């Protein structure tokens, strides 16, 4: 039987990059409607029937996220150290998959953030998340978009020292646990007709 993924040794951290580890998220996400994406990255797969993927290949999306002409991802800044991204295994035997969940918080209720919530309600989304180690995660794919779901209540707080706050929650079910290593620059610039060049990470 050919294995889809080849096992290999995973050594102890041996260099500076392996040892560096900072918790939390970069306080900015990229977001767009799923329909605004022209090309999606694909699930990693062996190059041929007799090949096996290496671990690093098996843990990352293949290819770039490419926006449609006239579209781009929008940057949304949230309160620093008020966001968390988790990936949790779910499903019964034979139907296991992963629940990606993003929780962020934006200080101060106002018309703009309420309008943002209203715009996303019931829509299929694509979201790009980056942690403070520089690793990126993609929520949404060609078949299954991310979505905004019910979060904690927006609140004025009680005391004057409390935070007037708007919590937001997004979820996405993915067949695999993956990082995104494709373009993270060009997708924030509106794509023009005839321009197929994407930027680097």
């Amino acid at each position: 039987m050919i294995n889809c993924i080849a096992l290999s040794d995973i050594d102890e951290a041996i260099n500076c990059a392996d040892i560096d580890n900072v918790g939390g998220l970069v306080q900015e996400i990229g977001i767009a409607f799923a329909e605004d994406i022209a090309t999606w990255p694909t699930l990693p797969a062996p190059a041929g029937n007799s090949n096996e993927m290496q671990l690093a290949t098996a843990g990352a999306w293949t290819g770039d996220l490419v926006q449609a002409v006239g579209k781009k991802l929008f940057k949304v800044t949230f309160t620093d150290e008020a966001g968390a991204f988790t990936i949790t295994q779910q499903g019964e035997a034979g139907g296991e998959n992963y629940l990606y969940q993003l929780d962020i918080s934006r200080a101060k209720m106002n018309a703009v953030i309420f309008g943002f919530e209203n715009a996303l309600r019931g829509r299929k989304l694509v979201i790009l998340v980056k942690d403070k180690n520089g690793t990126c995660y993609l929520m949404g794919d060609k078949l299954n978009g991310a979505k905004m779901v019910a979060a904690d209540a927006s609140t004025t707080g009680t005391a004057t020292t409390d935070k007037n706050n708007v919590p937001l929650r997004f979820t996405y079910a993915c067949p695999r646990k993956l990082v995104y290593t494709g373009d993270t620059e060009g997708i924030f610039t509106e794509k023009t007709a005839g321009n197929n060049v994407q930027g680097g990470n």
Side-chain angles (χ1 to χ4, degrees):
M1 177 180 176
I2 299 298
N3 295 314
C4 294
I5 303 169
L7 293 179
S8 63
D9 295 330
I10 300 178
D11 298 326
E12 183 179 8
I14 56 173
N15 59 48
C16 295
D18 290 337
I19 295 170
D20 293 343
N21 187 12
V22 179
L25 298 177
V26 174
Q27 68 176 114
E28 181 180 81
I29 62 169
I31 192 165
F33 296 126
E35 64 196 47
D36 293 342
I37 302 303
T39 304
W40 295 86
T42 58
L43 295 171
N49 292 333
S50 60
N51 294 325
E52 297 176 329
M53 289 185 286
Q54 298 302 307
L55 295 181
T57 301
W61 289 99
T62 300
D64 290 331
L65 188 71
V66 181
Q67 69 275 36
V69 172
K71 304 297 182 179
K72 67 174 185 175
L73 262 67
F74 293 88
K75 297 179 180 180
V76 176
T77 302
F78 57 92
T79 305
D80 195 20
E81 298 188 349
F85 176 75
T86 59
I87 305 176
T88 305
Q89 188 170 353
Q90 63 178 5
E92 299 179 6
E96 301 96 336
N97 56 71
Y98 292 93
L99 177 67
Y100 292 43
Q101 180 170 309
L102 173 66
D103 287 282
I104 58 176
S105 177
R106 173 85 179 195
K108 192 176 182 181
M109 296 189 291
N110 58 39
V112 172
I113 193 65
F114 286 175
F116 177 71
E117 290 184 85
N118 292 335
L120 302 185
R121 187 178 57 185
R123 300 294 298 272
K124 292 182 179 179
L125 307 169
V126 57
I127 303 172
L128 188 65
V129 183
K130 180 183 286 189
D131 69 24
K132 290 190 176 179
N133 291 316
T135 302
C136 293
Y137 309 90
L138 181 65
M139 298 180 69
D141 62 54
K142 184 177 182 179
L143 300 177
N144 185 31
K147 59 185 177 181
M148 184 178 69
V149 298
D152 292 338
S154 299
T155 180
T156 60
T158 303
T160 56
T161 53
D162 291 341
K163 184 169 68 172
N164 183 307
N165 189 53
V166 180
L168 299 168
R169 173 172 292 174
F170 303 90
T171 61
Y172 159 63
C174 185
R176 302 186 206 168
K177 197 173 189 178
L178 302 169
V179 301
Y180 174 71
T181 58
D183 174 38
T184 59
E185 297 295 335
I187 52 177
F188 290 102
T189 301
E190 186 174 306
K191 187 176 180 182
T192 58
N195 179 11
N196 295 317
V197 178
Q198 294 294 300
N201 291 352

